[in-house]
Amino acid sequence: MFCYGGNILKVDLTTGEGIKKPLDEKVALRYLGGDGFGAYFMNKIVNPKVDAFSPDNALIIAPGLFVGSGVPTGGKTAFFSKSALNGGWNESVMGGQIGLALKQAGYDVLIIEGKSDKLSYLLIDDNNVLIKSAEHLQGNTTRETAEKIKKDEGDFIVASIGIAGENLVRFASIDCEERQAGRGGMGAVMGSKNLKAIAVRGNNDIKIAKPDKMYRLIEKYYEIMINHPSFNDDGKYGTGEFLEWMNNERGTFPTRNWREGVFDGRKEIDPYYWAPRYAIKNKGCLQCTKPCGKAFVMKEFKGAIDGIEYETLFSLGSNCGIEKVEYVAKANEICDLYGIDTISAGGVVGFAMDLYENGVIGKDDLGLEIKFGDGEALLEILKKIAYRDGIGDILANGVRIASQKIGKGAEKYAVHVRGMEPPAYDVRGIKGMALAFMSSPRGACHLRSGAYALELTGKFWKYEGVDRLSSENKGKEIADMENFMAVYDALGVCKFSRGIFLLNFDEMLEASIGKKMGEDELLFIGERICNLKHIFNIKAGWKKEDCKLPDKIHIPIPEGVSKGSYVSREEEEKMLLDYFNARGWDKNGIPTRKKLEELGIKEFIE
Amino acid sequence: MYVKAIPEKCCGCLFCETVCSLWHWNVINKYKSGIRVHKKSVIEDIPSVCSHGNLCNFECIEACKFDAMKKKNGTVYVDYKNCTGCRACEKACPLNAVWIHEKKAYKCDLCGGDPQCVKFCSQNALVMEV
Ligand code: SF4
Ligand code: SF4
Ligand code: SF4
């Protein structure tokens, strides 16, 4: 098979056994790679009923189809597991190099099950698979862990967890070469398996079906990308480039734990302020030709930092009322080194600040004062979370569980959907995204649909004239966008290229795997993948009632151009039913038999 | 003529490795690329590529006992029928610009005068020096 590694590797950490099996070509063509393989193998292998931290939960890693093909920005690898935040489906996609190493080692899917009896790391060197002691790495940061393993083992690509993953912080991340699989506590699942790191080296060729054609396509898209307006904007200012626009023109930049949709103190967290001062160069994901990452150095803090993304400027910035970018940078750094998802981290700290300012918790509970805007408090709480120290032990569970433990009405300050803290889109003024938060298989998420750009600008792909303040006709739009994005996550293509490629992958598929697939065929696969994730969730106990929006989304935005906008409970219900209908699911959100037959996945419910 | 790397601009995307191996060998394999990028720290991505004698003294040619490292029109290249993979060149090169993969040496050959890595480096971190 062209452009595939050709095998599946299953490692049981309990027994120490590794089994290599060939990848079934039919499965490859039905699911493509990445997200598709995750959907397939999670359903085949993981018992949806087990606890996320049970040895029977699996951690699955699958490079996208285009990883190692040369397709520009096609270097993404996806991680899958049961979510540590809600026990349902979880996935997280990153641009680190581990997927390429796995493919060169001959694997399209790595399945890790069981639990090691002591802290270990997994070493994969083509056919040699070893589980080695990582006791000397206990408590090390993600970066130290990778550096030490490379020093001992050689030219390996390392994915590692920090202290937060070891301590089962429910929103712990996995780091690979400064790229993170952040969301949903994938790092905690790794920690629950006593797995500190995964180190991979692959020596084999990735064969390309039509190398000349691939070369010409690379040439073509490289030109398009470096001449695209986003090349300069993202290159200069990174993903936070549109912060000011989001704040001023749309009024949907969530602020102070979702009290406001505009942040008055944003001046210095805007990349137009800090990038020219501190950024020293761009950083890109594997195989990217229009990098949006930034590396920068601040004399205030020792060392250099890889970050800060738009989402983080919200979570560790506006959501905590932080006005100094230096604090956001430092907090970002703590999150990356301790292995914490920055979005949830800021959600949790903003929540705690809100509770404090509203008198729900006091200095005695916290051990310190934590007002909005207090950068030192932000850093302190993050460390407490990573070490599960004091209040950090409660906050380390995410806002949903933390609010239940705290009681005293804390629930109404907990901003989450299905236990996951949301990213930087105040959906009170972006109603399609409110639906996307509810329908996403992993909880509040902007990436499964990627519909924010469509909603905020009104047009994308086949959609035009979309009104972000209306809750009408959102079901089909979000379902379509989810199918669209599932294709991107299966192919491993960066979502920031969606305006460039749309679904025109037939030539690139022909060049890489030797088979053309047009938009309709790809969307059908995307729909199949989305339905399979949902089936997993239903088996894990998903209920329609769990998809509720947080209370704060029912309160009108107080200021800015979206002033007065909110999502009512009726709209919430209407959009969800509209979505189920568009998906061919019944009014409780259960897929109909007919739909599953049509998609050829009936076997998964039998 | 050689490819000069400017690490201060390199973003670590490895696109150079990808196109190099595709162009020369019709496959993707970072170990068959004539350029390798190693990350030394968060801000240091260091491309290693041959200077064809401009920043070195042809140590690889000197070290090779099998007449596998050759020079033609200012370009140092591997003569694969002679290369035994003995690693002498790898050890000798002061720029870490040659490596052994499956008993063969791999290094930059300047793509016949149109270096692909330079052509596809979005950050202009690689430039042709004449
Ligand atoms: S555009 Fe940004 S996110 Fe996308 S692949 Fe490039 S560096 Fe990664
Ligand atoms: S293509 Fe350029 S920016 Fe990318 S890794 Fe190579 S030298 Fe660095
Ligand atoms: S491989 Fe090394 S020693 Fe040989 S010519 Fe190139 S830079 Fe000089």
Side-chain angles (χ1 to χ4, degrees):
Chain A
M1 274 188 283
F2 290 106
C3 209
Y4 284 104
N7 301 283
I8 295 157
L9 176 65
K10 196 165 159 182
V11 177
D12 187 332
L13 295 172
T14 310
T15 62
E17 202 184 14
I19 303 170
K20 178 178 173 178
K21 279 193 194 148
L23 172 71
D24 181 344
E25 194 167 347
K26 285 203 284 299
V27 172
L29 290 177
R30 282 171 66 84
Y31 296 96
L32 305 176
D35 213 24
F37 288 174
Y40 180 83
F41 286 101
M42 282 287 285
N43 272 287
K44 283 280 176 198
I45 280 167
V46 181
N47 174 359
K49 296 264 183 283
V50 300
D51 188 80
F53 295 154
S54 155
D56 292 334
N57 185 12
L59 176 69
I60 300 181
I61 308 178
L65 186 154
F66 284 143
V67 169
S69 69
V71 167
T73 73
K76 302 276 184 173
T77 296
F79 289 60
F80 308 89
S81 187
K82 288 201 72 175
S83 166
L85 285 172
N86 64 29
W89 166 270
N90 190 32
E91 65 186 297
S92 198
V93 179
M94 65 144 80
Q97 298 169 21
I98 191 163
L100 179 62
L102 277 171
K103 253 196 196 180
Q104 280 203 246
Y107 307 113
D108 301 295
V109 186
L110 168 63
I111 300 164
I112 303 170
E113 291 178 309
K115 177 178 179 174
S116 182
D117 55 1
K118 55 181 200 298
L119 196 64
S120 304
Y121 66 94
L122 175 63
L123 191 86
I124 301 173
D125 190 357
D126 287 347
N127 282 328
N128 295 325
V129 179
L130 283 173
I131 298 164
K132 297 181 117 178
S133 170
E135 283 174 308
H136 62 297
L137 301 170
Q138 204 224 324
N140 279 195
T141 65
T142 52
R143 204 175 288 155
E144 285 161 357
T145 303
E147 277 167 8
K148 286 183 189 168
I149 292 177
K150 285 181 191 200
K151 197 159 166 257
D152 292 344
E153 307 286 357
D155 191 16
F156 281 74
I157 301 298
V158 178
S160 58
I161 58 169
I163 190 75
E166 287 181 43
N167 289 337
L168 308 186
V169 171
R170 288 184 181 273
F171 43 93
S173 61
I174 301 173
D175 180 283
C176 175
E177 312 279 323
E178 310 297 332
R179 288 287 182 269
Q180 289 81 24
R183 307 238 63 201
M186 211 68 81
V189 170
M190 217 165 128
S192 76
K193 300 192 167 305
N194 261 333
L195 185 64
K196 181 70 176 166
I198 305 162
V200 188
R201 177 166 65 187
N203 292 286
N204 304 303
D205 293 343
I206 298 171
K207 296 189 180 68
I208 303 298
K210 299 193 169 163
D212 293 342
K213 187 176 174 98
M214 181 53 85
Y215 179 83
R216 285 196 303 277
L217 288 164
I218 291 173
E219 220 172 13
K220 169 176 162 187
Y221 284 106
Y222 177 80
E223 279 303 313
I224 293 175
M225 284 190 185
I226 62 164
N227 291 312
H228 197 269
S230 72
F231 182 82
N232 272 321
D233 293 347
D234 289 354
K236 280 204 195 99
Y237 306 109
T239 53
E241 193 274 327
F242 74 122
L243 189 155
E244 186 68 15
W245 179 84
M246 189 68 169
N247 189 87
N248 287 3
E249 307 293 318
R250 292 297 177 265
T252 47
F253 186 52
T255 297
R256 284 181 275 261
N257 200 34
W258 299 72
R259 283 187 195 169
E260 294 122 52
V262 287
F263 184 35
D264 41 17
R266 69 188 175 282
K267 183 171 163 260
E268 295 187 12
I269 65 166
D270 185 340
Y272 280 81
Y273 170 85
W274 58 261
R277 283 180 174 72
Y278 297 125
I280 56 165
K281 69 171 174 179
N282 295 328
K283 295 289 278 188
C285 297
L286 173 72
Q287 227 169 292
C288 180
T289 53
K290 54 177 196 59
C292 64
K294 289 261 151 297
F296 53 93
V297 191
M298 284 178 183
K299 61 177 181 322
E300 287 84 345
F301 304 116
K302 279 202 293 296
I305 295 167
D306 190 332
I308 324 162
E309 305 301 333
Y310 169 70
E311 306 300 334
T312 309
L313 293 166
F314 140 75
S315 62
L316 301 172
S318 65
N319 201 49
C320 298
I322 305 295
E323 300 183 3
K324 288 270 168 224
V325 69
E326 292 79 4
Y327 279 114
V328 182
K330 189 67 190 164
N332 187 111
E333 174 84 342
I334 288 176
C335 286
D336 287 355
L337 291 179
Y338 292 171
I340 311 176
D341 170 28
T342 59
I343 299 180
S344 282
V348 167
V349 178
F351 159 76
M353 289 172 163
D354 213 1
L355 292 184
Y356 180 81
E357 292 207 345
N358 281 287
V360 182
I361 47 173
K363 202 176 160 191
D364 294 346
D365 309 296
L366 292 161
L368 71 162
E369 287 197 313
I370 47 166
K371 294 201 182 118
F372 282 115
D374 185 343
E376 292 296 334
L378 165 66
L379 304 182
E380 195 54 35
I381 296 280
L382 289 176
K383 285 180 202 151
K384 282 179 178 289
I385 289 171
Y387 286 95
R388 279 190 172 269
D389 167 28
I391 188 76
D393 191 31
I394 293 174
L395 296 176
N397 294 306
V399 297
R400 177 164 72 177
I401 299 175
S403 69
Q404 290 159 357
K405 291 199 177 193
I406 293 166
K408 298 185 276 190
E411 279 97 339
K412 70 172 195 281
Y413 300 98
V415 183
H416 70 87
V417 179
R418 291 180 52 237
M420 179 120 100
E421 295 76 15
Y425 305 87
D426 194 330
V427 297
R428 291 178 290 185
I430 324 171
K431 295 194 179 174
M433 283 308 290
L435 171 57
F437 280 8
M438 294 189 279
S439 68
S440 145
R442 66 177 185 181
C445 162
H446 61 302
L447 292 169
R448 301 287 74 73
S449 71
Y452 50 92
L454 162 59
E455 285 274 319
L456 288 164
T457 62
K459 60 173 196 278
F460 176 69
W461 186 30
K462 57 189 184 187
Y463 284 94
E464 247 178 83
V466 168
D467 178 2
R468 69 187 170 96
L469 299 175
S470 156
S471 57
E472 296 298 323
N473 303 321
K474 298 290 163 157
K476 179 140 185 356
E477 173 199 319
I478 296 302
D480 275 346
M481 284 304 301
E482 286 174 345
N483 297 344
F484 183 110
M485 282 306 170
V487 173
Y488 269 62
D489 286 335
L491 297 176
V493 179
C494 177
K495 295 184 171 81
F496 295 137
S497 298
R498 63 191 181 279
I500 292 172
F501 293 131
L502 294 172
L503 289 171
N504 299 316
F505 292 115
D506 51 346
E507 301 285 326
M508 283 173 270
L509 282 163
E510 192 193 13
S512 55
I513 63 169
K515 187 181 183 305
K516 279 193 180 185
M517 290 189 209
E519 169 161 330
D520 291 346
E521 194 176 347
L522 288 173
L523 279 174
F524 187 66
I525 294 175
E527 187 181 4
R528 178 185 289 142
I529 295 170
C530 290
N531 274 267
L532 263 184
K533 295 181 199 173
H534 189 56
I535 288 174
F536 185 88
N537 266 337
I538 290 172
K539 289 181 180 166
W542 176 95
K543 298 249 166 352
K544 177 188 165 216
E545 298 76 65
D546 303 337
C547 300
K548 278 203 305 288
L549 291 170
D551 289 349
K552 293 227 182 189
I553 304 304
H554 302 305
I555 302 168
I557 295 183
E559 273 173 82
V561 297
S562 292
K563 182 173 172 174
S565 186
Y566 69 102
V567 182
S568 72
R569 288 179 209 277
E570 294 71 43
E571 287 179 305
E572 182 180 321
E573 175 76 8
K574 178 183 71 185
M575 289 195 288
L576 207 50
L577 288 177
D578 189 22
Y579 172 83
F580 292 163
N581 188 33
R583 278 254 174 251
W585 300 348
D586 72 13
K587 62 180 191 327
N588 294 313
I590 309 299
T592 57
R593 228 187 151 69
K594 188 167 149 271
K595 182 48 100 186
L596 299 183
E597 266 169 24
E598 181 191 315
L599 295 169
I601 48 174
K602 203 168 50 102
E603 54 170 305
F604 291 93
I605 52 157
E606 264 142 21
Chain B
M1 201 165 79
Y2 72 106
V3 174
K4 188 174 142 204
I6 309 164
E8 295 74 28
K9 288 185 175 180
C10 172
C11 75
C13 65
L14 309 191
F15 210 74
C16 48
E17 294 183 4
T18 304
V19 286
C20 182
S21 102
L22 181 68
W23 199 84
H24 287 89
W25 309 101
N26 284 335
V27 298
I28 308 287
N29 184 339
K30 60 182 171 186
Y31 296 110
K32 291 188 176 175
S33 165
I35 179 167
R36 289 291 320 274
V37 180
H38 291 283
K39 191 164 96 201
K40 252 182 74 191
S41 73
V42 188
I43 43 169
E44 295 167 291
D45 304 270
I46 318 283
S48 301
V49 61
C50 173
S51 76
H52 300 275
N54 287 285
L55 307 170
C56 66
N57 295 311
F58 302 106
E59 285 85 345
C60 58
I61 298 179
E62 188 82 13
C64 184
K65 302 273 173 292
F66 301 94
D67 196 25
M69 279 292 171
K70 291 186 172 158
K71 188 164 59 174
K72 192 165 134 195
N73 304 330
T75 303
V76 177
Y77 68 99
V78 184
D79 186 345
Y80 282 99
K81 66 179 189 310
N82 292 348
C83 179
T84 63
C86 73
R87 294 193 182 270
C89 54
E90 187 184 63
K91 289 192 194 109
C93 173
L95 301 180
N96 295 320
V98 52
W99 37 86
I100 307 299
H101 172 73
E102 289 173 347
K103 298 235 140 88
K104 294 283 171 210
Y106 289 86
K107 65 177 293 302
C108 165
D109 68 357
L110 293 173
C111 307
D114 179 21
Q116 299 300 307
C117 57
V118 174
K119 180 169 168 184
F120 291 108
C121 175
S122 69
Q123 302 304 296
N124 300 322
L126 304 171
V127 289
M128 272 297 266
E129 287 273 307
V130 242

